[in-house]
Amino acid sequence: MLLKSLLVGSLAAAGARAAGTWDFHPVRDEFSSDAFFDHRSLNEAQAGQSGFVRLAPDGLGFVLGDGSPVRFWAIGDGGGDMDLETLKHHARWLAKRGVNMVRFHEQLYAKGKTSKLDDADQDQVERCWRLVAAMKAEGIYVTISPYWGVALGREGRLKAWGIEGDDDQDSLGLLFFDKTLQEGYKAWVRALYAPVNPHTGLPLAKDPAVAIIQIQNEDSLLFWTVANIKGKQREKLCRLYGDFLVAKYGSLDKAKAAWEGEADEGDRFAEGRAGLLHIWEMTQERTGGRAKRLADQLEFLARTMYDFNRDMARFYREELGCRQLINAGNWTTADNTRLMDAERWSYTACDVLAVNRYYDETHHQGKRTAWAIDPGDHYTPRSCLLDPRACPVNLKRVVGRPLLVTESHWVPPNPYQSEGAFLVSAYTSLSGVDAYYWFAQGDPEWAEPKQPGDTRDWFRAMGKWDVGTPVELGQWPAAAWLFRRGLVRRGEAVVHEERPLAEIWARTYPVIAEDQGFDPSRFKGLGAVRSDIRTGADPLAFLVGPVEAVYGGDPAKTAVADLSKYVDHGKKTVRSNTGELLWDHGKGVCVLDAPAAQGACGFLAKAGKLKTRDLTLACRTAYASVLVVALDGAPLATSARVLVQLGTTEQPTGWKERDADYQTGDGKTTYHGRKIETVGHAPWQVGRLDATLVLRSATLRHAVVLDMNGMKIRELKLARSGGAVTLSLPPDALYVGLTP
């Protein structure tokens, strides 16, 4: 099958694109009081100064220690290997741009061939302590993610640590049921939380600047990796399954009778073990005894994860004395339509739910696509605006629990990244998602393009996982202000689904399911999996208003709004039920029209002149983002301090690519995309903007072009006529400030 790439305008020859760019040369931020924007004032003087972050009364958000509502504009890492003084500067830099949460994501077990199970990595402990101290001083909270099973598997230390299994035993899934590994985990986090942090004088367990504890990252018994549990570990899991079945039915023979005789080659009833069907079976339609056996298996695996999450939360609370909120998991499943509700139910043993989901639909193919961008790689540029189901914040919330996106970003190589902050800030506000963590940034201030093989940071080689760039992080000041100040209203729920647990175990289709995002580190294919529910709610409901679920509820209370009033498949448009957002996925444009925040992103030249209640935007650049926000709490029409934020595209200097067809690994699909010939070098080349903005205003009379730190560069001509101001937006800047 031949797939046409979704290219519009800006994908001319690489040389032509480079000709229409400007050099990104940011200067060090000195945090002058003359800066037009500085969001440090949105943060507390010190994170946690009034106590620990808590759940809001309805359980659907967060409040600070004094009860004030809070939402988190967050970033992964946020510190790298910086020393404390560098970290302090960087924390101030992040706070200025709206950040009030960072995520520490490292592995606390000791590395090396001679390490013991209960040895913690003291370098990582110290790194976390430094991060907490620096961020705390700038009113930035910390989420701690101390364990990732994928990384542990690379160490090859399981057998030496006394954990049952072969030398090549996959570590994924083991933490949920292997008691030896669990004891090691407890030793690692005890080394982090129990001692006094020398930089603050408090143990992390007692420090309210640490807001959220993630038990573990990206692991599940409902993902494909469960099939890699083998040998002694599989026997152990099958024995636990046997115990579950005996408790439920009275004996394994009675369980088999309930399954109408369905058997598995792993059954060893005389030894108390019941075989586990391959995870693929859970993705398929099954009937009769086979379906009943799968329902029991799903319940067992989900309850195993639930019980682990509950018991580990108890350990943090009772043995370590931690008062932070606890998040149980953040991963996906082998089939989100059939299994995600069971997965997310297992998280409800704790306070907070989460998911990691990226926008990564470019079909990037090369030798090191999990972490690098190299010459010779292929990709197909794709904007999320032309593919709304791929939006990473299309998420189903569970009533009574906050929902976080703890890893995400618009993954390069992709020219269409400046839409990311615009869409995230607007649609998480609409749906009520409580925090979005951009993954990741470890450089002080801005990130430069990196060369293949750059030893400074292998995981972000050539910027694969860097967000510290002009078209991503550079789009935060207005977007973070919008998100944190609530300038876009939360909608009324458009889908409210209540599901009995027995229905979830039976793998019946829900009313609506999230599509499965793509992660190149874990998925071997080249595309994400889409939900195939044919009788449920329109999958574009996520862009209309909140979608929510109750697990263990009454299905009679399930309700779906009339989505036809908002979703027009013929015109390819989706309107929010607040009336503030319009997503046109035919043209690839999103328009925001709220009282204090307005603008548009996408293929604006193709869309023609765009109008909101106070703005008229005429953009002649093929692809761009323009977000206008009031910084003084007033509507735009009466605001005396307006920030205009501009985004286009970026590429390293010297980047070269050409049109090229390429195939998936199995040879079944051909993409009409691009081949990267040269990855280039610093500095970033940012696409020039050609656009005119008209803003209805009775007060604004001055416009200034701002540098990357919000400092005045030059005056910008502004014309007044008929109660409105008109200005030609600068071609070579990210920000414009408007004042009386």
Side-chain angles (χ1 to χ4, degrees), residues 162-183:
I163 296 172
E164 290 182 310
D166 300 330
D167 290 335
D168 61 345
Q169 171 65 58
D170 195 327
S171 61
L172 289 168
L174 302 190
L175 187 63
F176 295 112
F177 64 91
D178 186 275
K179 299 301 182 183
T180 304
L181 182 56
Q182 288 174 10
E183 288 306 309

PDB file of all heavy atoms in Angstrom, residues 162-183:
ATOM      1  N   GLY A 162      20.686 -12.613  42.828  1.00  0.00           N
ATOM      2  CA  GLY A 162      19.882 -13.654  43.454  1.00  0.00           C
ATOM      3  C   GLY A 162      18.441 -13.679  42.985  1.00  0.00           C
ATOM      4  O   GLY A 162      17.581 -14.304  43.621  1.00  0.00           O
ATOM      5  N   ILE A 163      18.173 -13.012  41.873  1.00  0.00           N
ATOM      6  CA  ILE A 163      16.824 -13.013  41.310  1.00  0.00           C
ATOM      7  C   ILE A 163      16.713 -14.175  40.350  1.00  0.00           C
ATOM      8  O   ILE A 163      17.538 -14.336  39.436  1.00  0.00           O
ATOM      9  CB  ILE A 163      16.543 -11.670  40.598  1.00  0.00           C
ATOM     10  CG1 ILE A 163      16.561 -10.544  41.628  1.00  0.00           C
ATOM     11  CG2 ILE A 163      15.207 -11.700  39.864  1.00  0.00           C
ATOM     12  CD1 ILE A 163      16.497  -9.162  41.025  1.00  0.00           C
ATOM     13  N   GLU A 164      15.736 -15.013  40.533  1.00  0.00           N
ATOM     14  CA  GLU A 164      15.589 -16.231  39.747  1.00  0.00           C
ATOM     15  C   GLU A 164      15.467 -15.912  38.263  1.00  0.00           C
ATOM     16  O   GLU A 164      14.888 -14.910  37.872  1.00  0.00           O
ATOM     17  CB  GLU A 164      14.355 -17.006  40.204  1.00  0.00           C
ATOM     18  CG  GLU A 164      14.492 -17.627  41.585  1.00  0.00           C
ATOM     19  CD  GLU A 164      13.258 -18.417  41.957  1.00  0.00           C
ATOM     20  OE1 GLU A 164      12.149 -17.865  41.814  1.00  0.00           O
ATOM     21  OE2 GLU A 164      13.407 -19.575  42.387  1.00  0.00           O
ATOM     22  N   GLY A 165      16.001 -16.805  37.461  1.00  0.00           N
ATOM     23  CA  GLY A 165      15.885 -16.662  36.021  1.00  0.00           C
ATOM     24  C   GLY A 165      17.199 -16.907  35.322  1.00  0.00           C
ATOM     25  O   GLY A 165      18.263 -17.002  35.945  1.00  0.00           O
ATOM     26  N   ASP A 166      17.131 -17.010  34.009  1.00  0.00           N
ATOM     27  CA  ASP A 166      18.325 -17.223  33.203  1.00  0.00           C
ATOM     28  C   ASP A 166      19.117 -15.921  33.093  1.00  0.00           C
ATOM     29  O   ASP A 166      18.638 -14.844  33.435  1.00  0.00           O
ATOM     30  CB  ASP A 166      17.928 -17.710  31.805  1.00  0.00           C
ATOM     31  CG  ASP A 166      17.160 -19.030  31.865  1.00  0.00           C
ATOM     32  OD1 ASP A 166      17.424 -19.801  32.809  1.00  0.00           O
ATOM     33  OD2 ASP A 166      16.303 -19.265  30.997  1.00  0.00           O
ATOM     34  N   ASP A 167      20.342 -16.021  32.570  1.00  0.00           N
ATOM     35  CA  ASP A 167      21.178 -14.839  32.409  1.00  0.00           C
ATOM     36  C   ASP A 167      20.516 -13.789  31.526  1.00  0.00           C
ATOM     37  O   ASP A 167      20.726 -12.592  31.714  1.00  0.00           O
ATOM     38  CB  ASP A 167      22.534 -15.232  31.806  1.00  0.00           C
ATOM     39  CG  ASP A 167      23.389 -16.012  32.798  1.00  0.00           C
ATOM     40  OD1 ASP A 167      23.167 -15.844  34.012  1.00  0.00           O
ATOM     41  OD2 ASP A 167      24.255 -16.775  32.352  1.00  0.00           O
ATOM     42  N   ASP A 168      19.748 -14.247  30.552  1.00  0.00           N
ATOM     43  CA  ASP A 168      19.134 -13.311  29.612  1.00  0.00           C
ATOM     44  C   ASP A 168      17.679 -13.015  29.971  1.00  0.00           C
ATOM     45  O   ASP A 168      16.907 -12.546  29.130  1.00  0.00           O
ATOM     46  CB  ASP A 168      19.217 -13.857  28.187  1.00  0.00           C
ATOM     47  CG  ASP A 168      18.480 -15.194  28.019  1.00  0.00           C
ATOM     48  OD1 ASP A 168      18.156 -15.815  29.057  1.00  0.00           O
ATOM     49  OD2 ASP A 168      18.248 -15.595  26.870  1.00  0.00           O
ATOM     50  N   GLN A 169      17.277 -13.260  31.222  1.00  0.00           N
ATOM     51  CA  GLN A 169      15.909 -12.990  31.639  1.00  0.00           C
ATOM     52  C   GLN A 169      15.607 -11.497  31.485  1.00  0.00           C
ATOM     53  O   GLN A 169      16.327 -10.648  31.984  1.00  0.00           O
ATOM     54  CB  GLN A 169      15.689 -13.403  33.086  1.00  0.00           C
ATOM     55  CG  GLN A 169      14.362 -12.963  33.684  1.00  0.00           C
ATOM     56  CD  GLN A 169      13.173 -13.618  33.012  1.00  0.00           C
ATOM     57  OE1 GLN A 169      13.063 -14.831  32.976  1.00  0.00           O
ATOM     58  NE2 GLN A 169      12.293 -12.802  32.447  1.00  0.00           N
ATOM     59  N   ASP A 170      14.513 -11.206  30.797  1.00  0.00           N
ATOM     60  CA  ASP A 170      14.050  -9.825  30.671  1.00  0.00           C
ATOM     61  C   ASP A 170      13.597  -9.340  32.037  1.00  0.00           C
ATOM     62  O   ASP A 170      12.914 -10.051  32.771  1.00  0.00           O
ATOM     63  CB  ASP A 170      12.885  -9.776  29.672  1.00  0.00           C
ATOM     64  CG  ASP A 170      12.573  -8.360  29.207  1.00  0.00           C
ATOM     65  OD1 ASP A 170      12.750  -7.422  29.996  1.00  0.00           O
ATOM     66  OD2 ASP A 170      12.127  -8.203  28.053  1.00  0.00           O
ATOM     67  N   SER A 171      13.969  -8.118  32.389  1.00  0.00           N
ATOM     68  CA  SER A 171      13.585  -7.585  33.696  1.00  0.00           C
ATOM     69  C   SER A 171      12.175  -7.020  33.714  1.00  0.00           C
ATOM     70  O   SER A 171      11.597  -6.808  34.787  1.00  0.00           O
ATOM     71  CB  SER A 171      14.572  -6.491  34.113  1.00  0.00           C
ATOM     72  OG  SER A 171      14.542  -5.431  33.172  1.00  0.00           O
ATOM     73  N   LEU A 172      11.593  -6.767  32.549  1.00  0.00           N
ATOM     74  CA  LEU A 172      10.277  -6.140  32.507  1.00  0.00           C
ATOM     75  C   LEU A 172       9.209  -7.061  33.080  1.00  0.00           C
ATOM     76  O   LEU A 172       9.172  -8.260  32.789  1.00  0.00           O
ATOM     77  CB  LEU A 172       9.925  -5.741  31.073  1.00  0.00           C
ATOM     78  CG  LEU A 172      10.751  -4.561  30.542  1.00  0.00           C
ATOM     79  CD1 LEU A 172      10.565  -4.395  29.052  1.00  0.00           C
ATOM     80  CD2 LEU A 172      10.375  -3.282  31.276  1.00  0.00           C
ATOM     81  N   GLY A 173       8.341  -6.489  33.895  1.00  0.00           N
ATOM     82  CA  GLY A 173       7.251  -7.235  34.507  1.00  0.00           C
ATOM     83  C   GLY A 173       7.588  -7.839  35.851  1.00  0.00           C
ATOM     84  O   GLY A 173       6.690  -8.126  36.653  1.00  0.00           O
ATOM     85  N   LEU A 174       8.885  -8.031  36.133  1.00  0.00           N
ATOM     86  CA  LEU A 174       9.264  -8.765  37.336  1.00  0.00           C
ATOM     87  C   LEU A 174       8.950  -8.006  38.623  1.00  0.00           C
ATOM     88  O   LEU A 174       8.642  -8.620  39.645  1.00  0.00           O
ATOM     89  CB  LEU A 174      10.760  -9.105  37.303  1.00  0.00           C
ATOM     90  CG  LEU A 174      11.274  -9.939  36.124  1.00  0.00           C
ATOM     91  CD1 LEU A 174      12.699 -10.379  36.403  1.00  0.00           C
ATOM     92  CD2 LEU A 174      10.373 -11.129  35.843  1.00  0.00           C
ATOM     93  N   LEU A 175       9.045  -6.684  38.586  1.00  0.00           N
ATOM     94  CA  LEU A 175       8.860  -5.912  39.811  1.00  0.00           C
ATOM     95  C   LEU A 175       7.475  -6.122  40.411  1.00  0.00           C
ATOM     96  O   LEU A 175       7.296  -6.004  41.623  1.00  0.00           O
ATOM     97  CB  LEU A 175       9.088  -4.425  39.529  1.00  0.00           C
ATOM     98  CG  LEU A 175       9.094  -3.491  40.742  1.00  0.00           C
ATOM     99  CD1 LEU A 175      10.241  -3.836  41.694  1.00  0.00           C
ATOM    100  CD2 LEU A 175       9.172  -2.038  40.309  1.00  0.00           C
ATOM    101  N   PHE A 176       6.495  -6.470  39.591  1.00  0.00           N
ATOM    102  CA  PHE A 176       5.131  -6.619  40.084  1.00  0.00           C
ATOM    103  C   PHE A 176       4.952  -7.852  40.976  1.00  0.00           C
ATOM    104  O   PHE A 176       4.014  -7.903  41.769  1.00  0.00           O
ATOM    105  CB  PHE A 176       4.142  -6.700  38.919  1.00  0.00           C
ATOM    106  CG  PHE A 176       4.074  -5.440  38.103  1.00  0.00           C
ATOM    107  CD1 PHE A 176       4.543  -5.414  36.803  1.00  0.00           C
ATOM    108  CD2 PHE A 176       3.550  -4.272  38.633  1.00  0.00           C
ATOM    109  CE1 PHE A 176       4.484  -4.259  36.047  1.00  0.00           C
ATOM    110  CE2 PHE A 176       3.487  -3.112  37.890  1.00  0.00           C
ATOM    111  CZ  PHE A 176       3.959  -3.099  36.586  1.00  0.00           C
ATOM    112  N   PHE A 177       5.841  -8.837  40.861  1.00  0.00           N
ATOM    113  CA  PHE A 177       5.594 -10.065  41.626  1.00  0.00           C
ATOM    114  C   PHE A 177       6.838 -10.708  42.219  1.00  0.00           C
ATOM    115  O   PHE A 177       6.725 -11.590  43.071  1.00  0.00           O
ATOM    116  CB  PHE A 177       4.866 -11.099  40.760  1.00  0.00           C
ATOM    117  CG  PHE A 177       5.648 -11.595  39.566  1.00  0.00           C
ATOM    118  CD1 PHE A 177       6.453 -12.715  39.664  1.00  0.00           C
ATOM    119  CD2 PHE A 177       5.570 -10.937  38.343  1.00  0.00           C
ATOM    120  CE1 PHE A 177       7.168 -13.181  38.573  1.00  0.00           C
ATOM    121  CE2 PHE A 177       6.286 -11.389  37.245  1.00  0.00           C
ATOM    122  CZ  PHE A 177       7.088 -12.503  37.354  1.00  0.00           C
ATOM    123  N   ASP A 178       8.032 -10.303  41.818  1.00  0.00           N
ATOM    124  CA  ASP A 178       9.245 -10.924  42.345  1.00  0.00           C
ATOM    125  C   ASP A 178       9.646 -10.236  43.651  1.00  0.00           C
ATOM    126  O   ASP A 178      10.046  -9.068  43.664  1.00  0.00           O
ATOM    127  CB  ASP A 178      10.388 -10.832  41.334  1.00  0.00           C
ATOM    128  CG  ASP A 178      11.604 -11.599  41.802  1.00  0.00           C
ATOM    129  OD1 ASP A 178      12.404 -11.017  42.576  1.00  0.00           O
ATOM    130  OD2 ASP A 178      11.753 -12.769  41.422  1.00  0.00           O
ATOM    131  N   LYS A 179       9.542 -10.948  44.767  1.00  0.00           N
ATOM    132  CA  LYS A 179       9.778 -10.365  46.087  1.00  0.00           C
ATOM    133  C   LYS A 179      11.231  -9.944  46.275  1.00  0.00           C
ATOM    134  O   LYS A 179      11.520  -8.947  46.967  1.00  0.00           O
ATOM    135  CB  LYS A 179       9.375 -11.357  47.187  1.00  0.00           C
ATOM    136  CG  LYS A 179       7.903 -11.750  47.160  1.00  0.00           C
ATOM    137  CD  LYS A 179       6.999 -10.544  47.323  1.00  0.00           C
ATOM    138  CE  LYS A 179       5.529 -10.955  47.351  1.00  0.00           C
ATOM    139  NZ  LYS A 179       4.630  -9.755  47.436  1.00  0.00           N
ATOM    140  N   THR A 180      12.161 -10.674  45.677  1.00  0.00           N
ATOM    141  CA  THR A 180      13.568 -10.316  45.815  1.00  0.00           C
ATOM    142  C   THR A 180      13.846  -8.976  45.156  1.00  0.00           C
ATOM    143  O   THR A 180      14.494  -8.094  45.729  1.00  0.00           O
ATOM    144  CB  THR A 180      14.467 -11.400  45.203  1.00  0.00           C
ATOM    145  OG1 THR A 180      14.167 -12.665  45.803  1.00  0.00           O
ATOM    146  CG2 THR A 180      15.935 -11.074  45.410  1.00  0.00           C
ATOM    147  N   LEU A 181      13.364  -8.811  43.929  1.00  0.00           N
ATOM    148  CA  LEU A 181      13.540  -7.544  43.233  1.00  0.00           C
ATOM    149  C   LEU A 181      12.846  -6.411  43.991  1.00  0.00           C
ATOM    150  O   LEU A 181      13.363  -5.290  44.078  1.00  0.00           O
ATOM    151  CB  LEU A 181      13.018  -7.643  41.804  1.00  0.00           C
ATOM    152  CG  LEU A 181      13.177  -6.382  40.939  1.00  0.00           C
ATOM    153  CD1 LEU A 181      14.630  -5.926  40.875  1.00  0.00           C
ATOM    154  CD2 LEU A 181      12.632  -6.630  39.529  1.00  0.00           C
ATOM    155  N   GLN A 182      11.701  -6.698  44.561  1.00  0.00           N
ATOM    156  CA  GLN A 182      10.987  -5.673  45.326  1.00  0.00           C
ATOM    157  C   GLN A 182      11.800  -5.218  46.537  1.00  0.00           C
ATOM    158  O   GLN A 182      11.805  -4.029  46.882  1.00  0.00           O
ATOM    159  CB  GLN A 182       9.625  -6.203  45.767  1.00  0.00           C
ATOM    160  CG  GLN A 182       8.625  -6.337  44.627  1.00  0.00           C
ATOM    161  CD  GLN A 182       7.335  -7.000  45.059  1.00  0.00           C
ATOM    162  OE1 GLN A 182       7.094  -7.207  46.250  1.00  0.00           O
ATOM    163  NE2 GLN A 182       6.488  -7.349  44.093  1.00  0.00           N
ATOM    164  N   GLU A 183      12.497  -6.147  47.174  1.00  0.00           N
ATOM    165  CA  GLU A 183      13.331  -5.754  48.310  1.00  0.00           C
ATOM    166  C   GLU A 183      14.487  -4.862  47.852  1.00  0.00           C
ATOM    167  O   GLU A 183      14.876  -3.913  48.553  1.00  0.00           O
ATOM    168  CB  GLU A 183      13.864  -6.996  49.028  1.00  0.00           C
ATOM    169  CG  GLU A 183      12.798  -7.737  49.818  1.00  0.00           C
ATOM    170  CD  GLU A 183      12.075  -6.821  50.803  1.00  0.00           C
ATOM    171  OE1 GLU A 183      12.781  -6.126  51.580  1.00  0.00           O
ATOM    172  OE2 GLU A 183      10.828  -6.800  50.806  1.00  0.00           O
TER     173      GLU A 183
END
